[in-house]
Amino acid sequence: MEASISVTAAEALIASNIAPWTTEHVPLARAQGRVLRQDLHADRDQPPFDRVMMDGIAFAHGDGLSRFRLAGTQLAGQPAMTLAAPHDCLEVMTGAMLPQGADTVVPVESLRRDGTFLHVVTDTAPERGQFVHRQGSDCRAGDLLVPAGRLLRAPEIAVLATNGVADVQVTRQPGISVISTGDELVDVVAAPQPWQVRRSNDYGIAAALRDAHFDDVSLHHVVDDRERVLSLLTQRLAASDVLVLCGGVSMGQRDLIPAALDTLGVRRIFHRITQRPGKPMWFGVSPEGKPVFALPGNPVSALVCTLRYVIPALRQASGMPPSRVIYVRLAASLRTHASLTCFIPVALTYDEQGRAMAQPVPSATSGDFASLARTDGIIELPPRTDPHPVGHVAPFLSWS
């Protein structure tokens, strides 16, 4: 039997066998949630002019000046007007260009009108340059604003729009087939017999993938029959960029997946990881370079492996950097295993210092899906002979 490998070795082997996906161009309105594959540089200074930040008046700052003659109005979206005399001011609107010859703005709530004259009535004298957003103070033309590899959220979309990017180069969405195996599985809407259970692993895996912005996911089921397994795997390998299988990867009589993948020429990279849950996980690459993840059929194991291995690999192939590691502290002492890395479901709370504390919510078994609904994610704990103490710092993976 092939020896198990460590969690870090499995992670490294997956990373070294994942090829980047190709790119495509999409309209800006459809780019949200996609991965940017072009560096975005500023097409001009931002702001592109000296910008008024408050409704009020603009004037040339001078010592002791507090009374100005109103000489006109500078609206937003109009070319800059010019002050004609030192004691003149122009009424200005937020977002307008600062008038030529002006350098200071006083907001309308600090003014008193006297016919065609305006008096500054604040207790403190206006500061030169106040409420003026200077040209280029945010960025200069040519500055790198959003690097390739960034997930496009609302802020990035707004920056793209500001810089006139109507057609965006992004990673092509991979087609992902999630396949659950087992004679005992029936559809969600079915009334199961006493010896049957409803399918849930594929729905849970697909939800985790969509939470990670991988939306092109299809669900499939096959019974434990060699010919049917081979037929479905052949079909889905041809139609998909990624296969995520669930079940049939251990050492039982009906665990048909490893042999079937071998028959189809999928090169095995590893089989079994020294972890709990999820030890039987299998990973390989098809002759066309498509990654194949074969996860254990136990529900907790399947979700743990999806979070720990599948999603990071898909992020890499999309051109995204690794996720930022979040660390939490154990809220209770916990005994795990002397030779296995353990993934423990936890619920998060926060102490009086605002630190995230992880309260273990151990599953009764690796098939205990119900307990996961009371948790926020999982922590990863290394092998240890004595208990992990309260306050032990561990990496945390959120379910979403």
Side-chain angles (χ1 to χ4, degrees):
M1 183 177 68
E2 179 184 348
S4 299
I5 64 172
S6 70
V7 167
T8 53
E11 180 182 48
L13 283 170
I14 293 173
S16 64
N17 283 278
I18 291 290
W21 288 312
T22 57
T23 65
E24 63 180 357
H25 284 80
V26 299
L28 180 61
R30 289 176 36 217
Q32 183 176 357
R34 304 294 292 273
V35 179
L36 184 67
R37 292 293 288 274
Q38 64 185 82
D39 288 337
L40 173 64
H41 295 269
D43 71 333
R44 59 178 182 162
D45 292 348
Q46 289 294 343
F49 49 82
D50 289 343
R51 176 181 171 272
V52 173
M53 298 176 65
M54 301 282 283
D55 292 346
I57 61 169
F59 55 87
H61 190 276
D63 292 339
L65 287 180
S66 62
R67 181 175 180 271
F68 301 90
R69 185 180 70 88
L70 183 60
T73 300
Q74 172 76 71
L75 300 175
Q78 292 183 345
M81 299 173 66
T82 301
L83 284 173
H87 288 75
D88 282 356
C89 71
L90 289 170
E91 190 172 17
V92 290
M93 307 300 166
T94 302
M97 297 187 76
L98 185 70
Q100 296 290 331
D103 59 12
T104 303
V105 172
V106 169
V108 66
E109 57 266 27
S110 298
L111 299 171
R112 178 173 58 84
R113 187 180 293 269
D114 177 16
T116 60
F117 289 89
L118 290 165
H119 298 260
V120 178
V121 295
T122 55
D123 294 334
T124 58
E127 295 183 7
R128 188 187 304 273
Q130 70 176 24
F131 301 119
V132 176
H133 193 184
R134 289 296 181 187
Q135 178 176 343
S137 58
D138 291 348
C139 65
R140 290 293 185 183
D143 285 353
L144 177 63
L145 301 181
V146 185
R150 187 73 63 83
L151 183 71
L152 295 177
R153 309 163 301 163
E156 288 82 6
I157 294 293
V159 173
L160 287 165
T162 298
N163 287 272
V165 181
D167 187 56
V168 190
Q169 185 182 16
V170 297
T171 302
R172 180 179 57 82
Q173 272 282 4
I176 306 172
S177 288
V178 179
I179 303 172
S180 58
T181 69
D183 294 335
E184 75 280 16
L185 301 179
V186 297
D187 193 65
V188 173
V189 298
Q193 298 295 326
W195 57 87
Q196 295 175 323
V197 294
R198 294 186 181 93
R199 288 166 47 193
S200 57
N201 285 351
D202 50 351
Y203 284 92
I205 292 169
L209 294 172
R210 292 184 180 118
D211 267 345
H213 302 281
F214 299 105
D215 297 324
D216 188 2
V217 182
S218 60
L219 304 185
H220 310 270
H221 170 248
V222 63
V223 297
D224 295 323
D225 175 85
R226 182 179 182 277
E227 295 307 317
R228 293 188 184 184
V229 168
L230 283 171
S231 175
L232 182 61
L233 291 184
T234 300
Q235 174 194 347
R236 298 322 303 170
L237 273 173
S240 312
D241 299 294
V242 183
L243 259 58
V244 182
L245 312 175
C246 189
V249 294
S250 192
M251 299 177 63
Q253 183 181 3
R254 304 284 276 179
D255 288 318
L256 307 174
I257 294 302
L261 291 170
D262 183 63
T263 299
L264 296 177
V266 179
R267 178 171 57 92
R268 182 183 63 190
I269 306 300
F270 65 78
H271 187 189
R272 297 183 188 86
I273 309 172
T274 54
Q275 70 177 53
R276 176 184 289 175
K279 186 175 182 179
M281 179 175 161
W282 189 104
F283 171 71
V285 180
S286 77
E288 298 77 28
K290 300 177 180 181
V292 178
F293 302 88
L295 315 182
N298 287 318
V300 180
S301 302
L303 277 187
V304 164
C305 291
T306 299
L307 259 62
R308 184 62 178 82
Y309 303 108
V310 179
I311 290 174
L314 301 186
R315 284 176 57 92
Q316 176 185 323
S318 294
M320 299 176 70
S323 295
R324 179 171 56 90
V325 180
I326 297 173
Y327 291 96
V328 298
R329 296 173 181 269
L330 270 179
S333 175
L334 184 65
R335 183 177 292 278
T336 54
H337 198 282
S339 59
L340 298 176
T341 297
C342 289
F343 295 95
I344 308 296
V346 296
L348 294 187
T349 59
Y350 295 87
D351 67 9
E352 59 274 13
Q353 282 82 45
R355 297 177 302 184
M357 305 296 291
Q359 179 64 49
V361 185
S363 304
T365 69
S366 57
D368 180 13
F369 242 167
S371 66
L372 296 187
R374 304 194 303 271
T375 67
D376 297 296
I378 54 175
I379 56 172
E380 180 176 331
L381 295 174
R384 183 168 175 148
T385 54
D386 54 334
H388 297 272
V390 173
H392 175 84
V393 176
F396 169 78
L397 290 173
S398 173
W399 294 128
S400 63

